[in-house]
Amino acid sequence: MTPVCKGFLVFLAVGQLIMLVRSSRFIHGRPKGGLLPSPRLPDGHKIPEENWFTQKLDHFDDSNRKTWQQRFFFNDTFRQKEDSPVFLMIGGEGTANPVWVVTGNMMNYAQEFGAIAFLLEHRFYGKSHPTSDLSDDSLKYLNSEQALADLAAFRQAMAEKFNLTKSRWISFGGSYPGSLSAWFRLKYPHLVDGAVASSAPVKAQLHFPEYLEVVAASLNTTGPECNKNIQNATQQIDRLVQTSGGIKELTQTFRLCEPLNNSNVNDVSIFSSALAGNFFGVVQYNKDNRAFEGVPGTNITIDTICSIMDNDKLGDPLNRYAKVNSLMLDTYDEKCLDTRCDNSVASMKNVSWAGSAAEGGRQWFYQTCTEFGFYQTTDTKEQPFGSHFPLRYYVQQCEDVFGKSFNKPNIQSGVKQTNTNYGGQGIAGSKIVFPNGSIDPWHALGITKDVSATEQAIFIEGTAHCANMYPDSPEDLPQLKQAREQIKKHIVLWLS
């Protein structure tokens, strides 16, 4: 297959690695920092200090004696007795933020139940570096099974260190860590007594067009015109990109860093995907109370962007599409939009911990190429973003960044193995609760209906990704408040 930056037959799928150079807000459904942005630290509260735990590099090879230092945080403010319950927040595909053991829904429960709280950073993310670099040889130690074994070893060691051997443990996680929370209970039921798996995509899936379908359905909550106008804008772009005059107009209107190179179909694809990504990110985190420290954009909602797309006074659909793009660039203090493929692939191939992709982009992309897929393709007609992001492009990116062995059959094999290992949406565990929001595109791969009497779904109409995990807000929907109460009832049962 032809490398993505030199080919002329394939297009970039939105939300993937290409936005890393200048526009790194939203990469393969993962915003900068990870899929679960952190809440704001409440006034007057201090961040817990970091601690370190000696962890095995390979839990499944007894001849490998290598170890490394894994970072964790804890908060024992609410602990009332020796056998107090333990709440374990699982870190994911970004730097672990200790604010999660200070505020948020889990800490509300911790205060109510007198629990001690821990947060364990995921291997290969944040400061938890098991190896000296991010080479392919190093990344073979990055997978969900090793991460679950990390949790098991950590849980046993902390039980001894903090005299918690008689305590009941409950795991919490959102998004990918939500899946880890469910799988931790599934694989190590003797170590964890219950699991909250928020917005957890427990089904690995190579081809994930449902993501775009949920985005379209979520945008449609404001009325059908928003999707129609996006589709019209996309069609206008397809026409303009064919001529030199059109290229000049697109370059100026959408504030590109360099003139769009229409002789390289992949640069055109990057451009189209970045524009669609503006909508993906807003939908995924619509009104979710994140308001995380120092990061703008939490006030931009589906209503915001659709009100722009539906406003005839702002020009034709193309100009409205450009105004949404300018809003996002200005909000995130980005002067221009980068559309160069070569720069981005070079960034993703950098194996140094000092590289820009080491923030988590390279690692998460590796996990999608080996375990999960999650490729948000446009191979569905039920969305307004065109047809420029087929599955073959994602597969080609895996090959270009990690090598020819990362081809479609091998990626599909890894996805199949993940579902064989954990059960996908047929997960056969117990004492697990699965909160999901109807607005969140990831709910399509989650549990939205009860699996069994002890594996229950909480489907929250009108909320987005991991909304139940954030601190309470006066603007919370009644169904969100009810969901948090339902989760608490499960915790009561697990602790009894």
Side-chain angles (χ1 to χ4, degrees):
M1 297 178 71
T2 306
V4 292
C5 291
K6 297 180 181 178
F8 291 90
L9 298 176
V10 291
F11 292 81
L12 173 70
V14 113
Q16 188 56 297
L17 62 99
I18 302 302
M19 295 174 67
L20 275 168
V21 180
R22 290 188 180 94
S23 299
S24 56
R25 294 189 304 271
F26 201 68
I27 307 162
H28 186 44
R30 173 194 179 275
K32 185 177 176 63
L35 281 158
L36 182 62
S38 302
R40 185 186 66 234
L41 181 69
D43 293 339
H45 287 72
K46 294 182 179 180
I47 288 292
E49 64 182 35
E50 61 186 18
N51 296 270
W52 301 91
F53 172 67
T54 301
Q55 190 68 267
K56 289 186 64 176
L57 176 62
D58 189 346
H59 293 280
F60 307 106
D61 181 1
D62 290 336
S63 67
N64 190 332
R65 304 295 182 182
K66 293 181 179 179
T67 61
W68 58 283
Q69 295 300 302
Q70 188 169 22
R71 189 166 65 148
F72 73 95
F73 303 88
F74 72 93
N75 183 350
D76 59 359
T77 302
F78 304 122
R79 184 178 185 180
Q80 298 175 352
K81 52 186 179 179
E82 183 176 299
D83 60 348
S84 286
V86 183
F87 293 168
L88 174 59
M89 176 68 77
I90 299 172
E93 68 304 322
T95 300
N97 193 329
V99 73
W100 283 111
V101 290
V102 177
T103 189
N105 195 235
M106 184 188 79
M107 293 312 296
N108 291 341
Y109 298 142
Q111 183 172 9
E112 184 168 350
F113 293 104
I116 179 173
F118 288 93
L119 167 62
L120 182 65
E121 190 168 65
H122 196 294
R123 59 169 54 203
F124 284 96
Y125 293 98
K127 294 184 179 180
S128 295
H129 299 177
T131 55
S132 60
D133 60 21
L134 292 168
S135 64
D136 295 5
D137 191 56
S138 293
L139 289 178
K140 68 184 180 183
Y141 299 108
L142 171 59
N143 56 63
S144 58
E145 290 184 273
Q146 293 284 2
L148 293 173
D150 286 343
L151 289 166
F154 175 79
R155 180 258 188 257
Q156 290 176 298
M158 294 303 106
E160 294 291 338
K161 179 177 180 178
F162 289 88
N163 198 17
L164 297 166
T165 55
K166 297 181 181 179
S167 296
R168 291 187 179 272
W169 289 66
I170 296 175
S171 60
F172 293 77
S175 198
Y176 165 52
S179 298
L180 290 176
S181 181
W183 298 336
F184 188 37
R185 169 64 190 169
L186 175 72
K187 292 292 186 178
Y188 298 92
H190 58 294
L191 297 179
V192 60
D193 299 278
V196 180
S198 300
S199 297
V202 293
K203 181 184 178 182
Q205 188 167 296
L206 179 65
H207 182 60
F208 186 23
E210 295 91 340
Y211 185 99
L212 276 72
E213 293 175 354
V214 177
V215 168
S218 298
L219 293 171
N220 211 44
T221 59
T222 67
E225 293 304 312
C226 189
N227 277 306
K228 290 180 181 178
N229 287 320
I230 293 170
Q231 186 174 39
N232 287 338
T234 302
Q235 292 170 350
Q236 285 181 270
I237 290 172
D238 289 345
R239 290 192 294 269
L240 289 171
V241 79
Q242 302 300 322
T243 67
S244 58
I247 289 295
K248 183 177 180 180
E249 179 180 347
L250 292 173
T251 299
Q252 294 175 344
T253 303
F254 288 93
R255 296 166 53 181
L256 305 191
C257 300
E258 302 175 33
L260 184 62
N261 180 9
N262 67 342
S263 66
N264 187 330
V265 70
N266 301 291
D267 285 4
V268 176
S269 300
I270 294 167
F271 166 59
S272 299
S273 71
L275 301 183
N278 290 331
F279 291 80
F280 283 27
V282 169
V283 168
Q284 185 164 310
Y285 297 102
N286 186 62
K287 300 179 181 179
D288 65 359
N289 292 355
R290 51 196 167 108
F292 45 94
E293 190 83 39
V295 179
T298 59
N299 62 326
I300 300 176
T301 66
I302 291 173
D303 293 334
T304 306
I305 55 178
C306 282
S307 67
I308 294 174
M309 291 306 304
D310 296 345
N311 189 345
D312 293 340
K313 296 179 180 179
L314 297 177
D316 63 11
L318 181 73
N319 282 297
R320 296 176 226 165
Y321 208 43
K323 289 188 181 298
V324 171
N325 183 62
S326 289
L327 171 64
M328 302 304 287
L329 288 174
D330 292 342
T331 298
Y332 291 91
D333 196 27
E334 296 170 0
K335 294 182 179 180
C336 59
L337 185 66
D338 192 351
T339 60
R340 287 290 304 275
C341 180
D342 289 336
N343 294 341
S344 301
V345 170
S347 173
M348 287 295 287
K349 293 181 75 170
N350 187 341
V351 302
S352 169
W353 281 109
S356 61
E359 183 273 334
R362 177 174 168 84
Q363 299 95 303
W364 179 239
F365 186 39
Y366 178 84
Q367 288 194 263
T368 69
C369 293
T370 54
E371 292 189 88
F372 303 127
F374 294 155
Y375 300 133
Q376 301 146 14
T377 68
T378 51
D379 296 334
T380 171
K381 295 182 180 180
E382 304 301 319
Q383 49 83 23
F385 300 103
S387 58
H388 297 307
F389 324 125
L391 176 61
R392 63 179 179 270
Y393 199 93
Y394 283 102
V395 173
Q396 185 62 59
Q397 289 177 69
C398 288
E399 288 193 28
D400 287 346
V401 175
F402 297 113
K404 294 296 183 180
S405 64
F406 288 79
N407 51 39
K408 183 178 177 180
N410 286 340
I411 300 171
Q412 183 61 65
S413 177
V415 168
K416 182 179 179 180
Q417 177 58 36
T418 298
N419 290 326
T420 299
N421 202 16
Y422 304 124
Q425 289 171 315
I427 181 173
S430 64
K431 296 183 179 180
I432 309 171
V433 63
F434 298 93
N436 275 284
S438 65
I439 297 294
D440 179 20
W442 290 98
H443 85 251
L445 297 182
I447 304 294
T448 57
K449 295 181 180 179
D450 292 351
V451 178
S452 67
T454 60
E455 287 181 296
Q456 296 190 339
I458 301 177
F459 194 60
I460 316 168
E461 289 289 343
T463 64
H465 200 60
C466 301
N468 61 284
M469 298 182 67
Y470 292 97
D472 298 338
S473 168
E475 288 77 37
D476 285 342
L477 296 171
Q479 53 268 35
L480 177 56
K481 296 178 182 178
Q482 182 181 9
R484 288 175 173 144
E485 288 300 313
Q486 288 179 270
I487 295 170
K488 185 169 73 173
K489 290 180 180 178
H490 284 279
I491 294 173
V492 170
L493 290 174
W494 299 336
L495 295 180
S496 63

